[in-house]
């Protein structure tokens, strides 16, 4: 998910490998860069490449790197006469901040371009990781709520359903922020979120049936918002690229958090039945077609833009995210209209998103992860999850399990498609000299003689 890196340039002023303090500084710098990208959901292979790039830039070219779900270990070989230098760091997950991720990406480019001294690079990294979010939390809450409204419009919910979804998700986010400050485990936070998402739908079904609304879409929008924060793409990409242990851990987390959402919704619907309220019905026919295409394109764009806003993306990344969401929406609808099912349609759309992420990210100066995660949010199977729950609650086990399995398959198709699209983007943007010689040109000294300046400022070499 991160920008792929190529072999680091041979440093003209490598660190002294006999200086334990300096070697430790470089290892700490590499680990902390890896911590930021791993906590954002980046795949293990890409995280390892980033760490290896930082270490080799300063002369630690022989490193054994072990990245798992929540830890990073590095062992650097310093030659036959010195013991290896080893370090380990536990990754503590924080709220997703795309601005922090983009700032670390720019720092990595600067390290390659200027060969920044380790102590200076650590100071810059400290400033990045300790900085507050770039804008107020209320704006992030608005982003999540706006995303729910976009999902509701995308599912043909209409303006009133979109407004109710907006208010419901606003309440979910503010409630879960308070619960998070009190240390409630994330499973129960998702359970509370599912319960809040289902409650307005039950009330609309019971007391406003004359309005001829589809309250099931309120639940579907809430599910999509709650699923958007999970690391499904990273888990599937890890499984594809050969990191099964981390893939299993991430997938288990996704399954558990989704189980919390389902538990909250089921509990609310059961209580509603006991109180003789009306449980929202759901139409099992396909919910997305080419009708109202301009509205759906707009809804897909604002859904992705709102997700990027909720995750504190920089302003220049918002336009790229909106374009990615609109592209994913139109490709999905066209492929489905051609006669393919939701799994294949989602996979093809995700390939386009992954390709767009790799190509647009360079122009927007933001990591591809920002564009790809935002781009697939309009395609998250929130409605399909609720269809499965509704069928199970009505003793239609076969239909219910089929819908839930289909939702899982759509999620996997999205993740796999993004991975394939990013591979295409990396191959397309590989410079000719790298393709021809499988190397990069030697860096040249800058005028001040303070370091090396490679030709190009992109750590991926693209």
């Amino acid at each position: 998910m991160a920008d792929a890196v190529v072999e680091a340039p041979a440093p003209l002023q490598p660190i002294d490998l006999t200086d334990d303090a300096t070697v430790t500084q470089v290892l700490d710098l590499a680990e902390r860069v890896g911590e930021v990208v791993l906590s954002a959901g980046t795949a293990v292979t890409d995280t390892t490449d980033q760490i290896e790039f930082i270490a080799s830039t300063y002369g630690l070219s022989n490193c054994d790197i072990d990245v798992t779900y929540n830890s990073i270990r590095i062992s650097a070989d310093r030659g036959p006469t010195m013991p290896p230098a080893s370090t380990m760091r536990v990754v503590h997950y924080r709220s997703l901040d795309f601005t922090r991720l983009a700032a670390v990406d720019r720092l990595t480019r600067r390290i390659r371009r200027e060969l920044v001294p380790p102590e200076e690079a650590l100071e810059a990294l400290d400033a990045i990781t300790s900085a507050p979010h770039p804008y107020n939390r209320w704006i992030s809450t608005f982003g999540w709520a706006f995303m729910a409204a976009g999902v509701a419009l995308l599912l043909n919910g209409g303006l009133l359903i979109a407004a109710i979804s907006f208010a419901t998700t606003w309440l979910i986010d503010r409630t879960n922020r308070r619960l998070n400050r009190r240390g409630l485990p994330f499973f129960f936070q998702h359970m509370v979120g599912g319960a809040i998402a289902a409650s307005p739908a039950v009330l609309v079904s019971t007391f406003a049936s004359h309005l001829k609304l589809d309250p099931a879409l309120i639940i579907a929008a809430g599910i999509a918002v709650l699923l958007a924060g999970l690391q499904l793409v990273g888990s599937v990409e890890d499984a594809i690229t050969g990191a099964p242990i981390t893939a299993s851990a991430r997938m288990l987390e996704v399954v558990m958090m989704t189980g919390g959402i389902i538990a909250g919704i089921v509990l609310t619907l059961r209580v509603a039945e006991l109180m003789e309220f009306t449980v929202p019905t759901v139409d099992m026919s396909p919910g997305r077609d080419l009708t109202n295409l301009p509205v759906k394109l707009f809804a897909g764009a604002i859904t992705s833009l709102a997700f990027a806003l909720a995750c504190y993306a920089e302003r220049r990344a918002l336009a790229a995210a909106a374009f990615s969401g609109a592209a994913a929406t139109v490709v999905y609808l066209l492929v489905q209209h051609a006669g393919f099912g939701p799994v294949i349609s989602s996979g093809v759309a995700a390939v386009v998103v992954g390709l767009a992420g790799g190509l647009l990210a360079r122009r927007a100066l933001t990591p591809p992860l920002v564009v790809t995660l935002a781009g697939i949010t309009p395609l998250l199977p929130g409605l399909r999850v609720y269809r499965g729950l509704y069928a199970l609650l009505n003793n239609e086990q076969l239909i219910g399990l089929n819908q839930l399995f289909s939702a899982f398959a759509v999620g996997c198709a999205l993740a796999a498609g993004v991975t394939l699209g990013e591979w295409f983007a990396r191959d397309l943007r590989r410079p000719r000299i790298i393709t021809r010689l499988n190397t990069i040109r030697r860096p040249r000294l800058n005028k001040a003689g303070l370091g090396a300046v490679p030709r190009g400022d992109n750590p991926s070499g693209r």
Side-chain angles (χ1 to χ4, degrees):
M1 298 283 294
D3 234 349
V5 295
V6 297
E7 182 181 356
L12 300 183
Q13 297 176 339
I15 62 171
D16 182 4
L17 298 183
T18 64
D19 187 346
D20 291 339
T22 305
V23 171
T24 301
Q25 281 183 327
V26 171
L27 293 179
D28 185 43
L29 174 65
E31 273 190 331
R32 291 179 59 189
V33 168
E35 179 185 22
V36 173
V37 298
L38 183 65
S39 63
T42 301
V44 167
T45 53
D46 291 326
T47 302
T48 301
D49 287 344
Q50 292 282 352
I51 295 171
E52 186 177 11
F53 173 81
I54 295 292
S56 58
T57 297
Y58 290 102
L60 297 175
S61 56
N62 297 321
C63 290
D64 291 321
I65 303 169
D66 180 29
V67 178
T68 61
Y69 171 67
N70 62 347
S71 66
I72 299 173
R73 296 176 179 86
I74 307 176
S75 178
D77 183 7
R78 297 190 288 175
T81 61
M82 291 177 289
S86 301
T87 183
M88 191 270 285
R89 190 176 189 88
V90 176
V91 177
H92 299 285
Y93 287 85
R94 300 176 60 185
S95 58
L96 191 56
D97 188 331
F98 285 156
T99 294
R100 181 185 301 120
L101 186 65
V104 169
D105 181 69
R106 286 193 291 270
L107 176 62
T108 303
R109 300 186 203 185
R110 182 188 166 204
I111 288 172
R112 178 188 174 183
R113 185 176 65 248
E114 303 174 7
L115 284 180
V116 181
E119 58 274 11
E120 182 181 338
L122 277 172
E123 289 179 2
L125 186 60
D126 282 334
I128 292 171
T129 56
S130 62
H133 291 307
Y135 38 81
N136 193 284
R137 290 181 182 271
W138 287 100
I139 297 179
S140 177
T141 298
F142 173 82
W144 289 117
F146 197 40
M147 175 185 165
V151 172
L153 288 176
L154 194 60
L155 297 174
N156 299 319
L159 292 178
L160 185 54
I161 290 293
I164 298 173
S165 299
F166 180 95
T168 301
T169 304
W170 185 288
L171 180 60
I172 290 173
D173 184 73
R174 300 316 302 179
T175 301
N176 281 345
R177 286 185 187 274
R178 290 183 176 272
L179 295 176
N180 188 52
R181 285 197 293 266
R182 293 180 175 271
L184 184 69
F186 285 112
F187 175 85
F188 297 106
Q189 291 184 35
H190 281 75
M191 188 174 175
V192 171
I196 295 176
S199 298
V202 170
L203 296 177
V204 170
S205 296
T206 305
F207 300 107
S209 58
H210 61 282
L211 296 179
K212 305 298 182 182
L213 301 176
D214 188 356
L217 300 183
I218 302 173
I219 301 177
I223 292 174
V225 170
L226 292 169
L227 289 176
L230 303 182
Q231 296 187 355
L232 176 63
V233 173
S235 63
V236 174
E237 188 171 0
D238 283 335
I240 292 174
T241 55
I245 296 177
T246 304
S248 300
R250 283 180 167 176
M251 184 60 71
L252 179 60
E253 182 186 51
V254 170
V255 171
M256 289 299 298
M257 296 304 105
T258 305
I261 299 169
I262 292 174
I265 294 173
V266 169
L267 180 62
T268 301
L269 297 182
R270 285 299 186 192
V271 171
E273 288 180 344
L274 292 176
M275 298 178 64
E276 298 184 351
F277 286 0
T278 303
V279 173
T281 59
V282 61
D283 184 7
M284 291 294 179
S285 61
R288 303 188 186 189
D289 49 46
L290 286 176
T291 59
N292 297 324
L293 184 58
V295 174
K296 290 184 177 180
L297 287 179
F298 173 75
I302 65 171
T303 298
S304 296
L305 183 149
F307 174 77
L309 182 67
C311 295
Y312 304 101
E314 297 174 313
R315 291 182 180 178
R316 57 188 167 193
L318 297 180
F323 176 84
S324 180
T329 301
V330 70
V331 171
Y332 177 91
L333 294 174
L334 290 175
V335 174
Q336 190 177 58
H337 183 71
F340 293 93
V343 176
I344 295 178
S345 301
S346 298
V348 173
V351 170
V352 174
V353 169
L355 181 61
L359 300 180
L360 291 178
R362 295 278 60 82
R363 294 185 178 275
L365 293 179
T366 189
L369 177 69
V370 179
V371 179
T372 54
L373 285 185
I376 65 171
T377 51
L379 308 179
L380 292 173
L383 182 59
R384 199 167 296 275
V385 171
Y386 181 66
R387 284 174 176 170
L389 293 179
Y390 181 80
L392 291 176
L393 289 174
N394 287 276
N395 296 319
E396 297 176 341
Q397 281 77 13
L398 185 60
I399 296 176
L401 293 175
N402 177 272
Q403 289 290 324
L404 291 177
F405 180 78
S406 178
F408 178 77
V410 167
C412 291
L414 291 174
V418 164
T419 304
L420 183 60
E422 287 182 340
W423 179 83
F424 281 128
R426 292 170 181 171
D427 191 64
L428 285 174
R429 291 184 63 82
R430 183 177 299 166
R432 293 180 181 178
I433 191 169
I434 295 179
T435 305
R436 192 166 60 245
L437 302 178
N438 196 27
T439 184
I440 60 176
R441 288 172 284 187
R442 184 174 179 80
R444 56 183 174 80
L445 285 173
N446 60 20
K447 293 182 180 180
L450 298 178
V453 183
R455 300 177 185 178
D457 59 353
N458 182 0
S460 67
R462 293 185 283 176

